[in-house]
Coordinates of all heavy atoms in Angstrom, one line a residue:
D1028 N -1.5 -96.5 -90.4 CA -1.4 -97.7 -89.5 C -2.3 -98.9 -90.0 O -2.9 -99.6 -89.2 CB -1.7 -97.4 -88.1 CG -1.2 -98.5 -87.1 OD1 -0.4 -99.3 -87.5 OD2 -1.7 -98.6 -86.0
G1029 N -2.5 -99.0 -91.3 CA -3.2 -100.1 -91.9 C -4.7 -100.0 -91.7 O -5.4 -101.0 -91.8
K1030 N -5.2 -98.8 -91.4 CA -6.7 -98.7 -91.2 C -7.5 -99.0 -92.5 O -8.5 -99.6 -92.4 CB -7.0 -97.3 -90.7 CG -7.9 -97.2 -89.5 CD -8.1 -95.8 -89.1 CE -8.1 -95.8 -87.6 NZ -8.3 -94.5 -87.1
N1031 N -7.0 -98.5 -93.6 CA -7.8 -98.6 -94.8 C -7.3 -99.8 -95.7 O -8.1 -100.4 -96.4 CB -7.7 -97.3 -95.7 CG -8.2 -96.1 -94.9 OD1 -9.2 -96.3 -94.2 ND2 -7.6 -95.0 -95.0
C1032 N -6.1 -100.1 -95.7 CA -5.6 -101.2 -96.5 C -4.2 -101.7 -96.0 O -3.5 -100.9 -95.3 CB -5.5 -100.8 -98.0 SG -4.3 -99.5 -98.3
G1033 N -3.9 -102.9 -96.3 CA -2.6 -103.4 -95.9 C -2.4 -103.6 -94.5 O -3.4 -103.6 -93.7
S1034 N -1.2 -103.8 -94.0 CA -0.9 -104.0 -92.6 C -0.2 -102.8 -92.1 O 0.4 -102.0 -92.8 CB 0.0 -105.2 -92.4 OG 1.3 -105.0 -92.9
G1035 N -0.2 -102.6 -90.8 CA 0.4 -101.5 -90.2 C 1.2 -101.9 -89.0 O 1.3 -103.1 -88.7
Q1036 N 1.6 -101.0 -88.2 CA 2.4 -101.2 -87.0 C 1.6 -102.1 -86.0 O 2.2 -103.0 -85.4 CB 2.8 -99.9 -86.4 CG 3.7 -99.9 -85.3 CD 4.1 -98.5 -84.8 OE1 3.6 -97.5 -85.3 NE2 4.9 -98.4 -83.8
T1037 N 0.4 -101.8 -85.8 CA -0.4 -102.5 -84.8 C -0.6 -104.0 -85.2 O -0.5 -104.9 -84.4 CB -1.8 -101.8 -84.6 OG1 -1.6 -100.4 -84.3 CG2 -2.6 -102.5 -83.5
I1038 N -0.9 -104.2 -86.5 CA -1.2 -105.5 -87.0 C 0.1 -106.4 -86.9 O 0.1 -107.5 -86.5 CB -1.7 -105.5 -88.4 CG1 -3.1 -104.9 -88.5 CG2 -1.7 -106.9 -89.0 CD1 -3.7 -104.7 -89.8
E1039 N 1.2 -105.7 -87.2 CA 2.5 -106.4 -87.1 C 2.8 -106.8 -85.7 O 3.3 -107.9 -85.4 CB 3.7 -105.6 -87.7 CG 3.6 -105.4 -89.2 CD 3.6 -106.7 -90.0 OE1 4.4 -107.6 -89.6 OE2 2.9 -106.7 -91.0
Y1040 N 2.5 -105.9 -84.8 CA 2.8 -106.2 -83.3 C 1.9 -107.4 -82.9 O 2.4 -108.2 -82.2 CB 2.5 -104.9 -82.5 CG 2.7 -105.1 -81.0 CD1 4.0 -105.1 -80.5 CD2 1.7 -105.3 -80.1 CE1 4.3 -105.3 -79.2 CE2 1.9 -105.5 -78.8 CZ 3.2 -105.5 -78.3 OH 3.5 -105.7 -77.0
I1041 N 0.6 -107.4 -83.3 CA -0.3 -108.5 -82.9 C 0.2 -109.8 -83.4 O 0.2 -110.8 -82.8 CB -1.7 -108.1 -83.3 CG1 -2.2 -107.0 -82.4 CG2 -2.6 -109.4 -83.1 CD1 -3.6 -106.4 -82.9
L1042 N 0.7 -109.8 -84.7 CA 1.2 -111.0 -85.3 C 2.5 -111.5 -84.5 O 2.7 -112.7 -84.4 CB 1.5 -110.8 -86.8 CG 0.3 -110.6 -87.7 CD1 0.7 -110.3 -89.1 CD2 -0.5 -111.9 -87.7
N1043 N 3.3 -110.5 -84.1 CA 4.5 -110.9 -83.3 C 4.1 -111.5 -81.9 O 4.7 -112.5 -81.5 CB 5.4 -109.7 -83.0 CG 6.1 -109.3 -84.3 OD1 6.4 -110.1 -85.2 ND2 6.5 -108.0 -84.4
V1044 N 3.0 -111.0 -81.3 CA 2.5 -111.6 -80.1 C 2.0 -113.0 -80.3 O 2.3 -113.9 -79.5 CB 1.5 -110.7 -79.4 CG1 0.8 -111.3 -78.3 CG2 2.1 -109.3 -79.0

Side-chain angles (χ1 to χ4, degrees):
D1028 196 21
K1030 229 178 217 182
N1031 299 323
C1032 63
S1034 68
Q1036 185 177 3
T1037 306
I1038 293 172
E1039 294 300 322
Y1040 181 77
I1041 293 171
L1042 289 173
N1043 287 336
V1044 172

